[in-house]
């Protein structure tokens, strides 16, 4: 397994180009199966999760061709297998996103239950309940979701919890259902909006994307389209925190600032000067130590849970005491004990972490447990004295394109070693 060795090396400065959003590219790739014609998708990030989704689609018969740079051509007209096997789904939970499209387009799907992961049990009961409300017959047995349906019927669905992929699955299924589907308490994440834009480009009739109420009029078929994936706000936020934690100055190019308000506000509270220039975001700490901030995660547009670990790292070396409340996932503090090995002072009580900032951390061997936790350990390594060896970085490769290259360009001392 690969490791990253990060050596504290002072302030990061320079420019970083933000890639396409993983959590938009994944549902968009799954949604191609709804179409009767070829699709062209631009700005697809080169990530392990995207490769897994492309492999899954390929196994079902979808023709996927990787163009030059980040372009992907998809021809969904050859689908012959309506199943997503466990050995692929267990490596990427987002495989559940093929359930809605398969059911809506082919009336049948057999998708492995994703199972839990380090950050929580990650149930999919709301996906299943919503599709059942649309007329699907769903049995969950032997670790698989076996679903069948004639043409799905429009329904009014009230989601008891805001669920991003749940909203996406139901929105995709509703596009080809008979009649109108209303989804209440829908997720408002920008990635849901980007998926809605893509579905509309294929001829879907969707209103309310970005609000908590989606209204979808089912149509008989969807045609091919071209779409550019929106920038990855979490990648952008991660690099801005890299600038803040090292007391540097970063320009994030093509960062889509309009969907990062909650994160930019917290970076300003931490004492950084944050300026938006069109689609670029400039962060300048003036060489100052960050101030501790209080963070509470919640569904968009509130502070994103996918930025929680990164701000935990920031607080470990900030001036003062900061609190981190995680309200979305039940076990998303796995990075705490790893940071404590680096000298961080963190007290955890339930879903609340109280972080007392230290002047500095000390490098140590640490282990990544999930995607964003691994990013936070790299951030901590950027300011720690000496070497920090981050193990199990396959988590990182799932969600960050060429992270050591991008950080290296900003002045970080970071290298990948094969173990
Ligand atoms: C999406 O996961 C993202 N993944 C996650 O990003 C992100 O952390 C999460 O949304 C929250 O923003 C993708 O988009 C591929 P949820 P998702 O369903 O959809 C509960 C990353 O780092 N719930 O919004 O799986 C669930 O347990 C990843 O890129 C149910 O109870 O998350 C959780 O407490 C990590 N029943 C809450 O809802 C369900 O049927 C929010 O989960 C579904 C969810």
């Amino acid at each position: 397994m690969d490791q990253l060795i990060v050596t504290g090396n002072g302030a990061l400065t320079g420019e970083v180009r933000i890639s396409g959003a993983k959590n938009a590219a994944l549902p968009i790739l799954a949604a191609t199966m709804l179409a009767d014609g070829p699709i062209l998708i631009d700005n697809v990030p080169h990530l392990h999760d995207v490769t897994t989704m492309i492999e899954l689609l390929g196994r079902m018969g979808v023709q996927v061709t990787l163009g030059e740079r980040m372009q992907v051509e998809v021809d969904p007209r050859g689908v012959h297998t309506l199943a997503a096997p466990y050995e692929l789904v267990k490596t990427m939970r987002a495989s559940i996103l093929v359930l809605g499209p398969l059911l809506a387009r082919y009336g049948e799907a057999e998708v492995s239950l994703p199972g839990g992961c380090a950050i929580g049990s990650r149930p999919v009961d709301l996906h299943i309940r919503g599709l059942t409300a649309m007329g699907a017959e769903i049995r969950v047995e032997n670790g698989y979701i076996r679903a069948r349906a004639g043409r799905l019927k429009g329904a009014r669905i009230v989601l008891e919890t805001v669920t991003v992929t749940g909203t996406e699955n139901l929105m995709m299924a509703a596009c080809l259902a008979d009649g109108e589907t209303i989804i209440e308490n829908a997720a408002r994440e920008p990635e849901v909006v980007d998926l809605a834009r893509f579905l509309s480009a294929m001829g879907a009739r969707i209103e309310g994307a970005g609000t908590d109420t989606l209204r979808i009029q089912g149509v008989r078929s969807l045609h091919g389209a071209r779409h550019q994936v929106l920038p990855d706000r979490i990648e952008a936020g991660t690099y801005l925190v890299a600038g803040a934690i090292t007391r540097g100055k970063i320009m994030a190019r093509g960062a889509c600032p309009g969907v990062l308000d909650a994160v930019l506000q917290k970076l300003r509270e931490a004492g950084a000067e944050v300026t938006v220039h069109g689609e670029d975001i400039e962060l300048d700490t003036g060489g100052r130590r960050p101030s501790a901030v209080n963070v509470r995660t919640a569904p968009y547009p509130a502070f994103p849970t996918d930025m929680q670990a990164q701000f935990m790292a920031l607080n470990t070396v900030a001036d003062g005491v900061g609190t981190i409340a995680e309200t979305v996932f039940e076990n998303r503090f796995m990075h705490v004990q790893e940071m404590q090995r680096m000298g961080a002072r963190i007290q955890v009580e339930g879903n609340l972490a109280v972080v007392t900032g230290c002047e500095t951390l000390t490098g140590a061997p640490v282990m990544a447990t999930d995607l964003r936790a691994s990013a936070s350990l790299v951030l901590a390594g950027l300011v720690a004295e000496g070497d920090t060896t981050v193990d199990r970085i396959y988590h990182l490769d799932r969600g960050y394109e060429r992270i050591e290259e991008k950080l290296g360009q900003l002045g970080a001392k970071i290298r990948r070693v094969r173990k």
Side-chain angles (χ1 to χ4, degrees), residues 22-23 26 93-94 119 122-127 161-166 168 189 305-306 328-330 332 371-372:
K22 165 178 85 80
N23 290 350
L26 295 176
R93 304 185 67 281
I119 63 179
R122 312 294 293 278
V124 290
D125 55 312
L126 301 179
H127 300 235
T161 311
V162 174
T163 161
V164 173
T165 49
E168 292 166 342
E189 270 67 6
T305 175
D306 290 348
V328 177
F329 289 112
E330 68 266 28
R332 204 170 195 174
L371 169 53
R372 307 303 173 183

Side-chain angles (χ1 to χ4, degrees), residues 10-61:
L12 294 194
T13 56
E15 295 195 2
V16 60
R17 167 68 51 187
I18 301 304
S19 305
K22 165 178 85 80
N23 290 350
L26 295 176
I28 286 168
L29 284 165
T32 59
M33 286 194 291
L34 291 165
D36 289 346
I39 311 250
L40 197 57
I41 309 170
D42 295 301
N43 202 30
V44 176
H46 184 66
L47 296 169
H48 194 265
D49 270 7
V50 170
T51 309
T52 304
M53 179 62 85
I54 289 173
E55 186 185 337
L56 173 59
L57 293 178
R59 288 219 197 156
M60 292 193 276

